[in-house]
Amino acid sequence: MRLRDFGLRNGINEVIVITKGEKLNTAPIGIIVENENSVFAKSKLFPSHTRSNLEKGSFFVANVVNDAILFALATFEDLGEEHFESLDPPILRGSLAFCEFEPKLEGSITYLKLLRGKVLRNEVRAVNRGFNAVIEALIFATRLKLNPKFAEKIKECYEIIERCGGEREKLAMEIIKEKTGIL
Ligand SMILES: Cc1cc2nc3c(=O)[nH]c(=O)nc-3n(C[C@H](O)[C@H](O)[C@H](O)COP(=O)(O)O)c2cc1C
């Protein structure tokens, strides 16, 4: 068993991480992989519900997802149970794979050891710049308070989403517009 079996490759892998506090928490998180043939990875966690749940002993389950709407919703709120196809283990509807990690927090870094995982779907999709632009826009949206100039970057992403995205990318863009107020 190794990270790449579940789609986690060298570099930063954007996934949706599910943790548990009083209820299930979902958040996009980058999993940093230096050796995809190993079971070890890490992530840098800023203060968030994800982080405080881990501090209280929560599990850490990563879902590999290629749905722009799920990414957009999970960025701004927690996905409700209707978005899950399984609660134990927690798997979002349409998830391509899930991986459960043992998390160990050390300062801002969380060291991760793969415990188990499963590929759920083998879907082929060519690179879509609209999807990538949704992810970029979401990253800028979560950092908007740090730098208001990111509003312009988000607008540049909208242009790409309009030109290259499919329906789900365009719906994700509407969510970003609604949640950030950047039109
Ligand atoms: C694609 C993407 C990747 C992200 N990666 C991280 C990350 O690696 N670490 C982190 O602390 N926040 C990351 N964020 C921001 C969190 O997802 C965001 O702050 C979220 O609202 C936290 O939710 P929570 O408070 O429910 O845990 C990322 C956001 C996006 C859109």
Side-chain angles (χ1 to χ4, degrees):
M1 187 177 68
R2 51 197 187 144
L3 295 165
R4 67 175 287 162
D5 296 338
F6 308 108
L8 301 178
R9 307 293 294 260
N10 288 345
I12 302 183
N13 300 266
E14 310 300 348
V15 298
I16 298 184
V17 169
I18 301 153
T19 55
K20 197 169 188 323
E22 276 168 29
K23 59 186 181 71
L24 286 179
N25 187 91
T26 52
I29 296 290
I31 294 193
I32 303 162
V33 173
E34 281 159 7
N35 180 358
E36 63 194 27
N37 292 310
S38 77
V39 293
F40 299 105
K42 61 186 175 185
S43 64
K44 191 164 188 191
L45 291 183
F46 301 102
S48 64
H49 294 117
T50 300
R51 199 184 147 127
S52 63
N53 286 347
L54 293 174
E55 283 165 355
K56 289 178 199 140
S58 166
F59 56 70
F60 184 115
V61 173
N63 276 214
V64 178
V65 167
N66 65 356
D67 184 88
I69 296 178
L70 280 184
F71 266 105
L73 291 173
T75 299
F76 300 110
E77 60 197 54
D78 287 331
L79 295 167
E81 288 190 2
E82 70 279 10
H83 290 284
F84 286 80
E85 62 185 42
S86 156
L87 293 173
D88 186 15
I91 298 172
L92 293 164
R93 286 188 194 283
S95 197
L96 303 179
F98 85 92
C99 293
E100 182 172 1
F101 290 92
E102 179 185 77
K104 202 174 271 178
L105 275 75
E106 281 184 29
S108 63
I109 303 291
T110 300
Y111 292 91
L112 300 168
K113 183 182 173 196
L114 182 62
L115 297 175
R116 63 177 172 142
K118 193 172 180 192
V119 174
L120 304 159
R121 289 174 183 85
N122 280 304
E123 261 177 38
V124 180
R125 186 176 179 186
V127 171
N128 180 277
R129 290 178 63 208
F131 178 83
N132 294 351
V134 167
I135 298 297
E136 285 308 301
L138 289 170
I139 299 253
F140 288 126
T142 59
R143 298 183 185 163
L144 206 50
K145 283 188 194 123
L146 300 176
N147 189 345
K149 285 190 185 153
F150 286 166
E152 285 311 310
K153 301 261 188 198
I154 292 175
K155 287 184 189 170
E156 286 167 22
C157 292
Y158 291 164
E159 285 175 30
I160 300 171
I161 298 167
E162 284 285 8
R163 193 154 20 99
C164 308
E167 280 158 26
R168 296 192 74 78
E169 286 76 25
K170 287 177 187 162
L171 281 169
M173 180 175 73
E174 294 308 316
I175 294 168
I176 300 170
K177 286 184 176 176
E178 187 197 319
K179 298 289 184 182
T180 61
I182 295 164
L183 302 176

